[in-house]
Amino acid sequence: MSSFVDVALPVPLRRAFTYRVPDGMTLRLGMRVAVPFSGQKLAGFVLRTHDDPPVGLKRVLSVAGSFESEPVFPEDLHAFLLRAADYYLHPVGEVLKLAAPALPKEAFKALKESGFVEHADDIKGRRLTTQLTSRVTRVPEVALPLRAGVKQKALLALIEARGAMLLTELQKLVPGARGVVSSLVEKGVLHAEDVEIAADRFFSADLPREAPFEATGEQRAAIDTLTTALRAGKGGAFLLHGVTGSGKTEVYLQLVADALEREQGALVLVPEIALTPQLVARFRARFGEGIAVLHSGLADRERHHAWRALRRGELRLAIGARSALFAPVPRLGVIIVDEEHDSSFKQEEGFRYHGRDMAMLRAHMTQAVCVLGSATPSVESYYLTEQGKMTRLSLTHRAKHQLMPEVEVVELARNPGVGPSGHPLITGPLHRAIQRCLSAGDQAILFLNRRGFAPSLHCRACGEVARCPACSVSLTEHRRAGVLRCHYCDFAMPITEACPQCHALALERVGIGTERLEDALQTSFVEARVGRLDRDTAAGSGVEEVLDRMRKRELDILVGTQMVTKGHDLPGVTLVGVLLADQSLAFPDFRAAERTFQLLAQVSGRAGRGDRPGRVLLQTYQSDHYAVRFALHHDYLGFYREEIETRRELGYVPIARLVAVRADAGDEVVARKVVKELAELCERMPEVKDRVVQVLGPAPAPIERLRSRFRMRFLLRSRSRAALRKVAQAVVSRIDEGVSPARAHVDVDPVSML
Ligand code: ADP
Ligand code: ZN
């Protein structure tokens, strides 16, 4: 029995802390323990057990108790998490805490009473299929206090509009809803009662059961290659490049079925689970209840149950968004990353990991088969196949032999002025196409990547744009909600005609958002039933409802942001209209062309998936841009070839690797000073002097001010992973010494350039 343990704590320090093991306590690697740390008790993870008293310490504190009787993570997962923390230069204790199921409050309380807890894991709970939440209603006649904040008002407006709302739904609409609700309950304005709801609304999705398909030739070939790799037991990385509608899901399903039959486990990662109810439903239809669906709507208790069931081997298949990567799937044989190009796999806060890259690492470490699937693979992934580091599997035809849709360009420059709809963005050609589609009894999807009514408000008196007080971005008018809102910090204020800067009553609506487009369509096509899908309508089960209505043909036109471009399989859709194809090209990001091509190809892929051929209209000012040109012909490879040449010339990802170093502070001078100091530190490193690593910047971030903080950054770029890491490590050590009052971090393989 060891007398000491090194414990990783969830603190931003990249080192472990040594504690004494009390007599009679047995601790093993990976167990979660409570230890005293600067006057409080923290939960940490045992990284090492040993008998070496720490040198130079007079008194070694003792472990206060252990929360579980066994290691939290299976051994392979524990090892993977350590590697992931190391790769991203992130404190191990924070990574382990993030990956572990949250400790129930009872655990710490029990610890306080007895000072020693074991088996806190066996907390009595409900069945996996139900979840406890509150149903919140307005108490009539109790007025909202005069000094109520914007959040309180917004939340109240929501509840009043719908009569009653579930806390789980409110939490998706209003940040910090739980706190706001409980303060309003205290004030007597709201009433909350406990209710049990289906924990997993994907259980209730009423979709027809689906028997396995007779695979097409291409599907068969892909499935055979993958199952052969699975049976060989040595793992392998595969890129399943299948055009939209080629039936990638069927390949996943048959591979997973094979793994389950062999008593192995499988993990399926999807970009956003709420946006892919269909994929989850197909897995349900094939595998019944034996699936842990991990999503943000689960309460801690439910997550805990799903976790336990996987950990004990009662469930062997997990589906979820990015963080499901950490699910303790037993005997992991397969990891699938669907729509691998999607940027939501990258976590942009705290532990900034990329779910796709880490899926590949985890699969590699456990010798599992890793499948990345997409119709528009990321340039990084396709590059790996060209380098022979990943095997490419192609599905070049649609599963039911439907043709790819015809894509046409509508030159916005040549269709100026107001079209027949009375709106400049609905051009004559698009208007006529919608008419034809509707009179044929078909459905249309219209894509505009801006939510709200008007994206900005311009003051005719002072020439300014109405801005968020905390961020350097303009406010968007949301007419339905009656507010001007910041899309970055969620600041909201009542709609006003007065300019926030000069107070003149001269605000003018500029541009068009999905709300306004919805109105314009409704007035032009009076008979049509128009639905909308964007962050504003997606709350709760909003996505499922809208998609369901589309599927049941209760809607004729669906308007939406990039949410409509996701993998939806809606056979009635024969027309797709892209209102402004250039929108994403203007982004200050070296991936702007790639993003644009992906969006255009993906949204085009929603057309013509049924019996009738599809048609796509791309409205654009830049029809000669290569992202638009190749999207016209569904030519991924053409796009890739041109893009990789550009990246090569500019020395960007994936030819070179990047690390972003960012700092922010309330005071601009402080932010500038800190980032300058960090950049100078890099300049002094031999790797930078020898030009193996380049420092690009520092410069203010494109969004210079966010949540009242000034943001500065620079990029480190290199073709040598080792050299880049060395410089990044030096930055991290400097940050660990403290840069207060600024905050600073490194972001390895950054995605967001904002
Ligand atoms: P992708 O994800 O590649 O865009 P999906 O997996 O959504 O494509 O499949 C497209 C459609 O084709 C779905 O309706 C699916 O049920 C159907 N499908 C897939 N494979 C087959 C097959 N082998 N035979 C018949 N239909 C299939
Ligand atoms: Zn803001």
Side-chain angles (χ1 to χ4, degrees):
M1 227 185 297
S2 325
S3 17
F4 297 100
V5 284
D6 292 349
V7 177
L9 291 171
V11 294
L13 291 172
R14 269 153 267 255
R15 50 164 291 217
F17 298 84
T18 304
Y19 290 89
R20 187 184 299 285
V21 181
D23 291 342
M25 193 189 289
T26 311
L27 294 179
R28 282 190 290 146
L29 187 78
M31 280 170 69
R32 181 155 46 182
V33 292
V35 294
F37 185 83
S38 49
Q40 57 184 126
K41 284 220 174 60
L42 290 182
F45 294 83
V46 176
L47 287 187
R48 194 166 81 93
T49 59
H50 57 92
D51 292 308
D52 324 323
V55 274
L57 272 185
K58 271 190 231 97
R59 198 166 69 92
V60 182
L61 297 174
S62 293
V63 172
S66 74
F67 290 109
E68 286 102 350
S69 50
E70 55 176 291
V72 175
F73 305 102
E75 227 169 282
D76 59 334
L77 181 52
H78 186 86
F80 161 67
L81 292 167
L82 299 194
R83 277 275 288 277
D86 182 60
Y87 181 81
Y88 289 104
L89 303 168
H90 200 80
V92 171
E94 288 189 355
V95 174
L96 293 171
K97 181 180 176 181
L98 180 83
L103 271 180
K105 281 195 208 79
E106 297 89 327
F108 265 100
K109 230 186 285 160
L111 187 78
K112 255 183 227 150
E113 282 157 16
S114 66
F116 192 87
V117 188
E118 273 195 46
H119 304 286
D121 50 334
D122 290 318
I123 291 153
K124 284 187 282 308
R126 283 151 205 282
R127 268 162 39 79
L128 236 184
T129 48
T130 60
Q131 160 187 3
L132 200 62
T133 184
S134 312
R135 186 168 167 276
V136 187
T137 47
R138 179 85 166 90
V139 178
E141 279 146 37
V142 181
L144 191 64
L146 282 176
R147 289 176 38 232
V150 174
K151 265 192 198 165
Q152 298 191 326
K153 283 184 189 150
L155 191 133
L156 212 62
L158 280 170
I159 296 168
E160 281 173 348
R162 301 209 196 166
M165 281 193 73
L166 295 176
L167 181 58
T168 44
E169 296 205 341
L170 284 167
Q171 282 173 312
K172 292 195 190 109
L173 290 169
V174 183
R178 186 182 288 276
V180 182
V181 165
S182 62
S183 83
L184 288 177
V185 167
E186 232 165 71
K187 295 192 176 85
V189 181
L190 292 180
H191 173 74
E193 59 181 331
D194 285 352
V195 286
E196 232 173 273
I197 58 168
D200 175 357
R201 35 195 184 72
F202 305 104
F203 267 119
S204 53
D206 113 54
L207 274 147
R209 272 193 84 93
E210 200 182 67
F213 287 112
E214 183 71 46
T216 64
E218 288 185 327
Q219 284 173 330
R220 184 79 270 143
I223 294 163
D224 286 347
T225 306
L226 293 170
T227 49
T228 305
L230 178 68
R231 283 159 201 225
K234 295 209 184 72
F238 298 87
L239 177 67
L240 179 62
H241 178 204
V243 299
T244 52
S246 57
K248 291 181 284 295
T249 316
E250 188 60 32
V251 176
Y252 306 151
L253 287 166
Q254 298 206 19
L255 175 62
V256 168
D258 204 50
L260 295 181
E261 260 163 44
R262 296 161 48 79
E263 305 271 295
Q264 287 186 297
L267 178 56
V268 181
L269 301 184
V270 297
E272 254 172 291
I273 204 135
L275 275 181
T276 47
Q278 248 173 337
L279 184 105
V280 176
R282 281 183 189 161
F283 271 85
R284 281 251 182 270
R286 204 65 61 88
F287 302 110
E289 304 290 278
I291 310 177
V293 182
L294 307 166
H295 58 91
S296 56
L298 290 184
D300 282 349
R301 200 193 296 260
E302 269 62 48
R303 201 181 307 282
H304 202 90
H305 268 285
W307 172 279
R308 283 281 137 200
L310 289 165
R311 183 80 176 86
R312 296 193 182 115
E314 294 155 13
L315 292 178
R316 278 182 287 125
L317 171 56
I319 300 186
R322 168 180 84 215
S323 65
L325 172 68
F326 308 125
V329 175
R331 298 187 11 98
L332 191 59
V334 171
I335 304 186
I336 287 161
V337 183
D338 188 31
E339 309 293 1
E340 64 89 26
H341 62 276
D342 199 293
S343 57
S344 73
F345 284 117
K346 177 69 171 20
Q347 170 138 320
E348 297 291 359
E349 264 165 35
F351 178 36
R352 296 175 168 79
Y353 65 97
H354 201 303
R356 174 193 64 218
D357 299 349
M358 288 301 101
M360 289 177 72
L361 175 66
R362 186 170 176 191
H364 176 75
M365 288 179 74
T366 45
Q367 299 195 307
V369 170
C370 187
V371 186
L372 311 184
S374 178
T376 52
S378 62
V379 170
E380 286 95 324
S381 296
Y382 205 84
Y383 184 68
L384 286 178
T385 68
E386 297 242 291
Q387 293 211 306
K389 292 185 180 154
M390 187 156 47
T391 306
R392 191 163 62 230
L393 306 168
S394 300
L395 307 177
T396 58
H397 292 97
R398 287 189 156 177
K400 290 174 277 187
H401 309 287
Q402 314 94 313
L403 292 176
M404 295 300 283
E406 283 292 324
V407 189
E408 299 151 50
V409 156
V410 178
E411 302 275 0
L412 282 171
R414 268 190 241 141
N415 288 276
V418 177
S421 305
H423 206 286
L425 271 188
I426 306 176
T427 59
L430 181 59
H431 188 96
R432 288 190 291 278
I434 296 173
Q435 255 169 349
R436 202 173 311 155
C437 170
L438 294 179
S439 54
D442 292 341
Q443 293 171 298
I445 287 182
L446 297 183
F447 165 51
L448 174 67
N449 215 0
R450 280 241 171 94
R451 65 193 167 97
F453 191 84
S456 64
L457 292 99
H458 182 253
C459 175
R460 274 174 315 218
C462 71
E464 285 285 315
V465 164
R467 282 182 199 288
C468 172
C471 312
S472 51
V473 297
S474 59
L475 293 171
T476 298
E477 182 185 29
H478 287 256
R479 205 164 273 189
R480 313 274 197 276
V483 293
L484 305 183
R485 179 171 290 145
C486 169
H487 285 183
Y488 288 87
C489 76
D490 265 337
F491 165 85
M493 60 183 274
I495 290 183
T496 165
E497 296 306 316
C499 168
Q501 278 94 353
C502 79
H503 309 290
L505 293 175
L507 282 186
E508 188 178 29
R509 272 75 187 149
V510 183
I512 172 168
T514 45
E515 277 186 10
R516 195 169 189 173
L517 178 60
E518 186 185 15
D519 289 358
L521 288 164
Q522 201 63 83
T523 40
S524 309
F525 304 98
V526 183
E527 313 269 274
R529 295 159 300 174
V530 184
R532 180 161 57 94
L533 185 58
D534 56 28
R535 285 271 161 250
D536 298 321
T537 62
S541 43
V543 179
E544 238 177 315
E545 270 166 37
V546 171
L547 292 177
D548 219 41
R549 286 171 65 205
M550 273 300 270
R551 212 168 293 125
K552 292 187 183 138
R553 303 285 193 123
E554 292 168 13
L555 291 175
D556 304 305
I557 304 178
L558 180 63
V559 171
T561 56
Q562 40 87 26
M563 288 185 155
V564 302
T565 69
K566 307 286 166 170
H568 318 303
D569 189 33
L570 300 163
V573 174
T574 59
L575 175 68
V576 164
V578 178
L579 275 278
L580 189 52
D582 322 64
Q583 225 167 10
S584 47
L585 282 176
F587 257 64
D589 185 335
F590 69 91
R591 290 189 180 92
E594 179 182 2
R595 288 265 158 73
T596 304
F597 176 80
Q598 283 163 353
L599 279 172
L600 298 181
Q602 290 289 346
V603 75
S604 300
R606 298 316 112 210
R609 292 168 79 97
D611 316 326
R612 300 162 62 81
R615 184 174 178 213
V616 181
L617 294 190
L618 300 185
Q619 301 191 145
T620 177
Y621 288 104
Q622 303 176 60
S623 57
D624 51 354
H625 192 287
Y626 67 102
V628 177
R629 269 194 291 115
F630 289 115
L632 285 182
H633 302 107
H634 313 283
D635 185 2
Y636 174 79
L637 201 57
F639 172 78
Y640 171 80
R641 294 234 164 93
E642 186 142 353
E643 181 68 14
I644 198 81
E645 272 325 302
T646 314
R647 303 276 179 99
R648 209 184 294 280
E649 277 161 30
L650 298 176
Y652 265 115
V653 178
I655 312 296
R657 294 165 177 275
L658 295 175
V659 170
V661 180
R662 306 193 189 99
D664 60 79
D667 185 345
E668 183 175 354
V669 178
V670 175
R672 282 183 186 277
K673 184 174 149 279
V674 165
V675 86
K676 183 159 169 270
E677 192 199 314
L678 293 172
E680 281 168 3
L681 172 111
C682 297
E683 303 280 3
R684 288 195 296 274
M685 304 272 299
E687 289 78 7
V688 175
K689 281 190 179 146
D690 297 346
R691 322 209 89 250
V692 178
V693 176
Q694 291 110 46
V695 179
L696 312 178
I703 297 178
E704 216 174 298
R705 213 162 68 96
L706 188 67
R707 295 189 180 87
S708 300
R709 296 180 71 91
F710 284 90
R711 308 160 76 232
M712 295 287 297
R713 55 104 192 263
F714 62 89
L715 291 174
L716 297 170
R717 176 176 71 182
S718 179
R719 291 187 184 215
S720 157
R721 186 200 289 246
L724 188 62
R725 186 177 159 86
K726 208 139 160 243
V727 179
Q729 250 161 348
V731 173
V732 162
S733 314
R734 178 65 198 87
I735 292 173
D736 282 353
E737 288 164 19
V739 292
S740 151
R743 290 187 307 220
H745 68 261
V746 299
D747 186 353
V748 177
D749 305 329
V751 169
S752 170
M753 293 290 138
L754 290 180

